[in-house]
């Protein structure tokens, strides 16, 4: 979209401008329009595209300036460039610029406008006009907002929204990479229903949450031990513990703050831990038997962030703002210290689409070559595991990178050939659907950039991650192999052994 910017601002001066300075100001305006604003702009760009002062009037201890521009030396950039120049000029007359008050700021965007573009809630926007290939945004902004590049960010945001709206109904990016041999499956039930029937799991009291009994837990641990033996051990991943409560600052740097809001489990803190402050809440419960949620809402601060969502972002403050020694790369680590949480709403299904789940997250950091190499090694190992050990019917596909999807960007296949996400999907014989049960991603420099991590060599630093979903592995495995443990692939049968019955009911 082609942007145009126009801006009117009042400059508050420390005293009246003397008659003698007026011609100098006129000259400064001319000079700004012909040379100052053209600085850094390619020669072939037409004048119309470049910022210019269209009017400048002096009255008493003040000036009113109007500027217009296309995409080059945008009106606000031009204003600040001119201020610097003007400050020198006025200084010679012992006049200071006290303040800049923005009277009007108008952005106009020309181009194709998709139908369901929603702009009414944009921050700083006082009025929106949409029509005939044209969007106008009237802003209420301060000079500080302009210095903070608010107009540029708004234009970028509107363009992103237009791209997303235009992309609309089209399917997500999905490109097949590998398909395993077909496998015969005699079992044709939904494994969750069968797990419930056998008492392996029970619905917990929160939405999309299960209590896993001994057998289900045993299967999780069976898979985990396999991952340790086949992947973590041979490739030299070392265990760490990543926090599971994620403050906004982490998500601001990881990019999740751009789009993850509909799926967060929000976390709040008490305004005080003074028992007297909370007494009425406890009393209310004691008398009514109900927890007074509205009362509690008044007594907490935040949300300060949310529960773990993507698992790897919480690691990055560990090395944020540092320079890594060349010889510690590639670094390979993993976390399996807790749950991830997503508000799945209507999407909940079985044990595989839940609000609380368990995942082993592998994370690696290195040069671009080292990062891609680690991903390739993982693909090899996973393939062996799923073909030879778990004997699954599965496939892998290149999809929209998770770090883009989680920011609310739809569709794209990533920023380059080497950067992106591969999903692993297993066939579910009972429905004929495919279930994504893990992924491998090369995330490029996104995280080192977001958390300001450098490398001694001064070269590029990349990272990758792979999320191994234990509920998803279990759902895929049981859907294909069923519950006759003796018929399971030998290695799984051996590791699973006999899961004890703990509870008997009368
Ligand atoms: N962090 C990645 C994701 O959320 C891999 O687990 O998908
Ligand atoms: Zn990750």
């Amino acid at each position: 979209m082609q942007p145009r910017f126009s801006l009117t601002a009042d400059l508050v001066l420390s005293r009246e401008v003397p008659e003698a300075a007026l011609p100098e100001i006129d000259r400064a305006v001319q000079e700004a329009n012909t040379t100052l604003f053209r600085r850094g702009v390619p020669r072939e760009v037409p004048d119309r595209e470049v910022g210019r002062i269209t009017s400048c009037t002096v009255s008493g201890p003040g000036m009113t300036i109007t500027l217009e521009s296309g995409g080059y030396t945008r009106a606000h950039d031009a204003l600040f460039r001119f201020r610097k120049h003007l400050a020198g000029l006025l200084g010679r007359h012992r006049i200071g610029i006290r303040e800049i008050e923005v009277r009007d700021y108008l952005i106009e965007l020309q181009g194709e406008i998709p139908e369901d573009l929603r702009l009414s809630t944009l921050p700083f926007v006082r009025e929106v006009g949409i029509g005939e290939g044209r969007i106008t945004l009237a802003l209420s902004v301060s000079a500080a907002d302009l210095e903070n590049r608010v107009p540029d960010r708004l234009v970028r945001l509107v363009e992103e929204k237009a791209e997303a709206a235009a992309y609309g109904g089209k399917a997500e990016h999905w490109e097949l990479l590998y398909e395993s041999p077909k496998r015969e499956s005699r079992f044709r039930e939904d494994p969750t229903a069968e797990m419930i029937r056998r008492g392996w799991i029970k619905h917990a009291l929160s939405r999309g949450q299960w209590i896993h009994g001994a057998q289900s837990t045993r299967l999780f641990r069976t898979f985990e031990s396999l991952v340790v033996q086949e992947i973590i051990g041979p490739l030299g991943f070392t265990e760490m513990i990543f926090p599971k409560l994620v403050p906004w600052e982490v998500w601001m740097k990881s990019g999740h703050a751009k789009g993850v809001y509909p799926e967060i489990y929000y976390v709040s803190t008490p305004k005080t831990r003074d028992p007297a402050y909370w007494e009425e809440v406890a009393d209310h419960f004691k008398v009514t038997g109900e927890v007074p949620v509205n009362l509690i809402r008044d007594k907490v601060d935040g949300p300060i962030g949310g529960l773990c969502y993507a698992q790897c972002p919480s690691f990055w403050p560990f090395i944020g703002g540092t320079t890594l020694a060349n010889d510690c790369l590639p670094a390979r680590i993993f976390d399996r210290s807790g749950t991830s949480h997503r508000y799945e709403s209507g999407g909940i299904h079985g044990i595989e689409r839940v609000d609380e789940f368990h995942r082993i997250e592998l994370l690696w950091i290195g040069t671009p070559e080292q990062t891609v190499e680690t991903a390739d090694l993982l693909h090899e190992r996973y393939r062996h595991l799923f073909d030879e050990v778990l004997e699954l019917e599965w496939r892998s596909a290149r999809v929209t990178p998770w770090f883009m999807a989680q920011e609310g960007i739809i569709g794209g296949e990533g920023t380059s050939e080497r950067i992106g996400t591969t999903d692993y999907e297993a066939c579910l014989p009972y429905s004929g659907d495919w279930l994504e049960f893990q992924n491998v991603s090369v995330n490029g420099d996104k995280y080192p950039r977001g958390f300001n991590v450098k490398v001694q060599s001064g070269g590029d630093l990349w990272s990758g991650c792979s999320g191994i979903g234990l509920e998803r592995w279990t759902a895929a495995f049981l859907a294909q192999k069923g519950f006759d443990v003796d018929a399971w692939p030998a290695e799984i049968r051996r590791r699973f052994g006999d899961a004890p019955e703990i509870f008997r009911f009368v």
Side-chain angles (χ1 to χ4, degrees):
M1 281 195 240
Q2 293 296 319
R4 284 206 69 75
F5 304 88
S6 67
L7 154 62
T8 301
D10 294 325
L11 272 56
V12 182
L13 308 177
S14 60
R15 65 181 186 92
E16 215 157 293
V17 178
E19 203 63 29
L22 294 180
E24 285 176 44
I25 293 177
D26 275 346
R27 258 202 312 281
V29 169
Q30 290 308 322
E31 213 178 291
N33 282 346
T34 47
T35 54
L36 186 65
F37 297 156
R38 284 245 39 142
R39 226 172 263 164
V41 176
R43 199 182 294 271
E44 64 277 11
V45 172
D47 280 345
R48 203 190 118 68
E49 286 299 312
V50 186
R52 59 182 293 111
I53 297 172
T54 56
S55 108
C56 175
T57 54
V58 179
S59 71
M63 282 172 75
T64 302
I65 305 183
T66 300
L67 300 105
E68 279 177 24
S69 77
Y72 294 86
T73 317
R74 296 176 171 190
H76 48 284
D77 295 327
L79 173 67
F80 296 123
R81 252 189 231 184
F82 184 63
R83 174 184 59 182
K84 205 164 159 213
H85 192 62
L86 188 68
L89 186 162
L90 293 176
R92 288 194 289 279
H93 295 275
R94 298 179 193 288
I95 304 174
I97 303 173
R98 286 250 166 94
E99 214 181 315
I100 298 181
E101 282 166 6
V102 183
R103 244 198 241 181
D104 284 310
Y105 198 113
L106 203 72
I107 301 176
E108 189 184 298
L109 291 160
Q110 288 193 4
E112 215 169 298
I113 304 165
E115 267 189 23
D116 42 1
L117 189 63
R118 282 206 312 275
L119 302 177
S120 56
T121 54
L122 290 176
F124 301 103
V125 173
R126 184 159 45 78
E127 215 179 292
V128 184
I130 303 186
E132 313 219 340
R134 216 164 63 134
I135 297 170
T136 52
L137 305 174
L139 312 190
S140 37
V141 278
S142 66
D145 298 329
L146 296 185
E147 275 177 303
N148 214 357
R149 314 202 63 78
V150 163
D152 307 270
R153 293 181 198 210
L154 279 170
V155 167
R156 185 70 218 120
L157 179 57
V158 171
E159 285 171 349
E160 276 171 17
K161 282 179 188 287
E163 278 163 30
Y167 201 86
K170 289 182 212 161
E172 289 256 324
H173 182 79
W174 191 91
E175 185 194 328
L176 183 68
L177 295 177
Y178 171 82
E179 221 169 352
S180 77
K182 293 261 168 287
R183 304 252 182 205
E184 269 314 310
S185 173
R186 268 161 292 142
F187 188 72
R188 301 234 157 228
E189 307 298 320
D190 177 346
T192 299
E194 186 60 23
M195 288 171 90
I196 295 172
R197 214 183 57 73
R198 290 172 181 254
W200 283 23
I201 52 171
K202 268 199 181 166
H203 270 293
L205 296 187
S206 194
R207 49 174 305 126
Q209 186 191 48
W210 295 90
I211 307 175
H212 290 267
Q215 298 86 345
S216 179
T217 303
R218 183 88 157 210
L219 200 50
F220 277 25
R221 297 294 176 244
T222 297
F223 294 144
E224 199 174 297
S225 69
L226 256 185
V227 171
V228 169
Q229 185 180 308
E230 297 283 337
I231 313 265
I232 285 171
L235 297 189
F237 283 85
T238 302
E239 185 161 15
M240 285 183 63
I241 295 177
F242 305 165
K244 295 295 174 282
L245 192 169
V246 190
W248 296 124
E249 198 188 340
V250 167
W251 279 335
M252 283 158 70
K253 293 179 176 171
S254 71
H256 284 85
K258 289 185 192 162
V260 81
Y261 303 101
E263 292 184 7
I264 294 179
Y265 267 90
Y266 293 91
V267 174
S268 297
T269 49
K271 283 198 171 125
T272 147
R273 55 163 299 181
D274 172 9
Y277 182 76
W278 289 95
E279 198 167 334
E280 60 174 319
V281 174
D283 290 348
H284 186 102
F285 172 71
K286 288 174 192 164
V287 173
T288 67
E290 303 285 342
V291 174
V293 176
N294 286 326
L295 191 55
I296 292 175
R297 201 170 281 134
D298 289 339
K299 289 180 178 290
V300 292
D301 276 331
I304 56 167
L307 295 181
C308 169
Y309 180 93
Q311 203 157 341
C312 57
S314 288
F315 155 77
W316 285 89
F318 195 72
I319 55 171
T322 65
T323 300
L324 298 177
N326 294 332
D327 64 6
C328 70
L329 301 180
R332 292 174 178 165
I333 54 181
F334 75 101
D335 170 82
R336 53 171 165 182
S337 68
T339 45
S340 295
H341 299 258
R342 296 187 183 182
Y343 185 74
E344 289 283 0
S345 184
I348 295 186
H349 184 267
I351 61 159
E352 66 270 17
R353 188 166 292 279
V354 282
D355 283 29
E356 174 173 304
F357 59 96
H358 302 78
R359 166 171 56 188
I360 307 171
E361 175 90 349
L362 311 181
L363 196 162
W364 58 100
I365 303 161
T367 63
E369 291 66 34
Q370 290 169 334
T371 307
V372 172
E373 192 201 352
T374 301
D376 289 343
L377 287 170
L378 279 172
H379 286 306
E380 251 172 54
R381 289 261 152 195
Y382 283 137
R383 183 163 161 174
H384 162 74
L385 203 52
F386 302 136
D387 277 346
E388 254 82 57
V389 184
L390 290 165
E391 300 172 14
L392 290 178
E393 182 171 336
W394 66 282
R395 65 187 185 188
S396 64
R398 197 175 155 83
V399 299
T400 304
W402 67 268
F403 51 86
M404 290 172 78
Q406 292 177 8
E407 281 177 20
I409 302 166
I410 4 175
E413 61 183 293
T415 39
S416 85
E417 194 47 40
R418 294 195 296 172
I419 297 172
T421 291
T422 301
D423 271 357
Y424 282 67
E425 303 177 350
C427 165
L428 302 175
Y430 75 92
S431 65
D433 292 336
W434 291 82
L435 175 70
E436 182 216 321
F437 63 96
Q438 64 165 41
N439 60 20
V440 174
S441 302
V442 171
N443 303 326
D445 69 351
K446 182 187 167 69
Y447 277 84
R449 198 164 26 86
F451 288 84
N452 189 24
V453 188
K454 304 216 160 21
V455 58
Q456 185 183 11
S457 69
D460 288 340
L461 191 63
W462 279 19
S463 76
C465 69
S466 174
I468 301 168
L470 295 175
E471 278 86 354
R472 297 283 178 95
W473 274 46
T474 301
F477 180 81
L478 291 175
Q480 293 189 18
K481 304 296 171 198
F483 289 74
D484 177 3
V485 176
D486 291 330
W488 285 358
E491 183 60 20
I492 308 300
R493 197 172 57 226
R494 189 182 67 74
R495 285 176 190 261
F496 185 77
D498 293 310
E501 292 276 354
I502 309 167
F503 301 103
R504 276 175 300 283
F505 303 96
V506 293

